[in-house]
Amino acid sequence: MRKIWLIAATLTLVAPGTIAFAADDAAAVKTEDGKYFDKEGNPTYKVGADGTVDWYTYSGYRRYHSECHVCHGPDGMGSTYAPALQDSLKTMSYGDFVSVVASGRQSGNSVMPALGDNPNVACYMDDLYVYLRARAHDAVGRVRPAKKEDKPEAYTETEKSCMGAK
Amino acid sequence: MRKVLSAACLGAMATFVVGVAYANEELIKMSQNPKDWVQPAGDYANTRYSKLNQINASNVGKLQVAWTFSTGVLRGHEGGPLVIGNMMYVHTPFPNKVYALDLSQDNKIVWKYEPKQDPNVIPVMCCDTVNRGVAYGDGKIFLHQADTTLVALDAKTGQVQWSVKNGDPGKGATGTSSPLVVKDKVLIGISGGEFGVQCHVTAYDLKSGKQVWRAFSEGPDDQIMVDPVKTTELGKPVGKDSSIKTWQGDQWKIGGGCTWGWLSYDPSLNMVYYGSGNPSTWNPKQRPGDNKWSMTVFARNPDTGMANWVYQMTPHDEWDYDGVNEMILSDQNVNGQERKLLTHFDRNGLAYTMDRATGELLVAEKYDPKVNWTTGVDMNKSSPTYGRPKVVDQYSTEKGGEDKNTKGICPAALGTKDQQPAAYSPDTQLFYVPTNHVCMDYEPFKVSYTAGQPYVGATLSMYPPQGETHMGNFIAWDNKTGKIVWSNKEPFSVWSGALATAGGVVFYGTLEGYLKAVDAKTGKELYKFKTPSGIIGNVNTYEQGGRQYVAVLSGVGGWAGIGLAAGLTDPTAGLGAVGGYAALSNYTALGGTLTVFALPQ
């Protein structure tokens, strides 16, 4: 875990913007209630041949542009204020992502807030991860996904109990 | 309890100030000396106009950099320095340093103030850790820190005279705005509209820092300091419970209406003016009603805090069109009659001209022809919807409802103009307005409130108006007719405060980093120079040793730096298209620097 993070940091330092590919294999090998998983069992995206995206990617797009873009810029592209998450997720593991978003991180005057107590984020952690992972792999572009799979029934239920239990 | 307390304070002060000249008498006198720049906007009227004319339309092309100063801070630099005699006071974004420079001694640092603040306040600041500058009065420099501490520094030594906490950053309240010194008080607003803060303007005693009054933007009548009978909107009494009637249940307690813009003051009418911001959340479905008094122009008595008149520009906001932009006060002849006017360029894309004594609405017109969410304001005095904007259904996110993406709304949430202040020249009787030329898609959805956590509830994407590639204009505006006189295209939003001068030259900065000088009459570009970073600061001018200087802070950031750093995409280009518009990051990088210009000697 630590090692991966160090490599990521060096890469961005040495050659910002030149990491053209993502190191991990994000291919979906399994699906469960409209949610896709890679071979490691981590949540991932699914984009159909006609551009239809899975529900999580779509939902993550929406949540990102509500909760994160004010710091991280539109479409995960980064800003004068916070890093480009489309680059971060080229190397960042699922576990590291969840832990930074939930617990926050600070380097001097650069502060990522802890959002674990915020149901608008915490209830959508996988959605955010899946969307940003799709951005990191260039699987979705800089626009709102036009076509999406339906909202899975199981998702609706989990969402309700998560948001209601705030 | 509240009432008793403020009455007691008022009483105490009344005895205190007998025979003592009010701070504003000193300030009025000082602001009449064009060699100084004693207030953030130059004067109480927020005109950003200077009588200096050594630099004029025929010689401005020869302008050179006279000196520069690095602030040592990387974040977005809004606002600008004050100049008082030999001293210049430069502020920075978080950590909110203040430098006092001696202009007569090679700009040597006389003192420096750097507060210790909990860095946890940083992520609570919605759109970069900006600060819009310090204020002067009674020998003190007033700074509103990010953590909402209002601190009074001895102008000579930088020593802390007093400090007071204006809000709770743990609940999302932060300080970004500049204070205003009026009489024996210092007035300050607060930020936190994206965190559901019940925002307010508060007056503190200049000498002691004791709170004198606090007026909320929404709540019961005693909290918002309106008199149901004497306070009017468009000539009519607002009536009892004018605010809480327009919210569901207790929602006003997390209602926003933040007050992070500029304050202005008319000493002859004894009224202060400011606007309130968006109601929280950005999801209009979740807060039925007009949500008063968010999105409102307030005129208040600075002694008591009571509101003389109010005017809500965007009832039940559906687009995040904060009403906080500056109110510019001018005395002009309208149809043969001398009028005391207030001109306001709102985020919602309408420019309002009002009678500032009575709150009468005279003109409300679009100052960007692309504005499309409204067909205009109902100006028929006998209509039941008099003074309200007519909303176009297609662009109503309320009509669209939750989980529906409403497309092509102009302007975008950043407004046709944000806080970047306009200037007014009495010579041309024109207003010089830095504007954004950006549209958006807006999708509201349900959010839940947690104290201290963002409370937004909408997904946005922004882009230039269809068929256009420029994202900003710098315009000259006639407030009597409500018409654009000239308009200069800019590739990016113009996020810098303008300066108008008696030399017939108007100055502003651009996001790529240019300081530009244009002809006040025609808009013709006369000079430009690329400063070290993008400009979101406000231009000012002063005279020192017989020479006129023009100064501006550069240091890209703010909302503009966040939204535009990576460039915007064209939503019509279709799925997967990487196309899009020039990214700001191709032109400029972070770094705070003051650049000061003068003519060659």
Side-chain angles (χ1 to χ4, degrees), chain B residues 548-599:
Chain B
Q548 183 186 353
Y549 293 88
V550 171
V552 70
L553 276 172
S554 59
V556 76
W559 200 359
I562 288 159
L564 304 177
L568 300 177
T569 41
D570 182 351
T572 56
L575 184 72
V578 185
Y581 295 90
L584 189 54
S585 55
N586 292 346
Y587 295 86
T588 191
L590 299 175
T593 307
L594 180 76
T595 307
V596 183
F597 300 82
L599 291 170

Side-chain angles (χ1 to χ4, degrees), chain B residues 279-329:
Chain B
S280 311
T281 114
W282 289 15
N283 174 5
K285 278 282 181 204
Q286 240 172 294
R287 44 166 172 77
D290 275 355
N291 310 135
K292 289 179 173 154
W293 295 99
S294 67
M295 311 307 226
T296 296
V297 184
F298 282 93
R300 289 190 187 273
N301 178 322
D303 302 323
T304 62
M306 291 301 286
N308 301 88
W309 58 263
V310 290
Y311 170 58
Q312 189 180 39
M313 296 170 287
T314 317
H316 187 65
D317 170 58
E318 312 170 37
W319 312 269
D320 187 35
Y321 294 152
D322 287 55
V324 301
N325 294 351
E326 75 286 358
M327 313 292 158
I328 304 175
L329 316 184

Side-chain angles (χ1 to χ4, degrees), chain A residues 47-48 50-53 55 58-82 106 108-121 124 135 138-148 151 159 162-164 166, chain B residues 74-75 94-95 119-120 122-129 282 402-405 407 441 443-450 453-462 556-571 573-581 584 590:
Chain A
V47 183
D50 66 346
T52 301
V53 302
W55 173 261
Y58 172 75
S59 167
Y61 168 88
R62 295 204 310 173
R63 292 291 155 178
Y64 177 86
H65 288 92
S66 163
E67 306 297 333
C68 322
H69 80 131
V70 294
C71 294
H72 288 281
D75 314 304
M77 298 281 286
S79 74
T80 56
Y81 191 76
Q106 181 186 343
N109 284 339
S110 169
V111 183
M112 164 68 198
L115 298 169
D117 288 339
N118 182 344
N120 305 308
V121 175
Y124 301 92
R135 288 287 301 132
D138 245 339
V140 294
R142 281 201 60 182
V143 288
R144 182 192 183 83
K147 285 178 255 171
K148 58 177 188 289
K151 191 168 177 172
E159 181 182 29
C162 184
M163 289 292 273
K166 63 148 200 158
Chain B
L74 292 178
R75 300 258 64 92
F94 189 94
N120 280 320
I122 296 171
V124 191
M125 308 189 74
C126 125
C127 322
D128 203 354
T129 50
W282 289 15
E402 283 173 359
D403 300 327
K404 158 118 197 307
N405 190 30
K407 293 185 180 170
D441 298 347
E443 177 180 7
F445 54 81
K446 210 174 191 61
V447 279
S448 68
Y449 173 78
T450 311
Q453 291 287 343
Y455 183 53
V456 182
T459 288
L460 302 190
S461 62
M462 309 201 211
V556 76
W559 200 359
I562 288 159
L564 304 177
L568 300 177
T569 41
D570 182 351
L575 184 72
V578 185
Y581 295 90
L584 189 54
L590 299 175

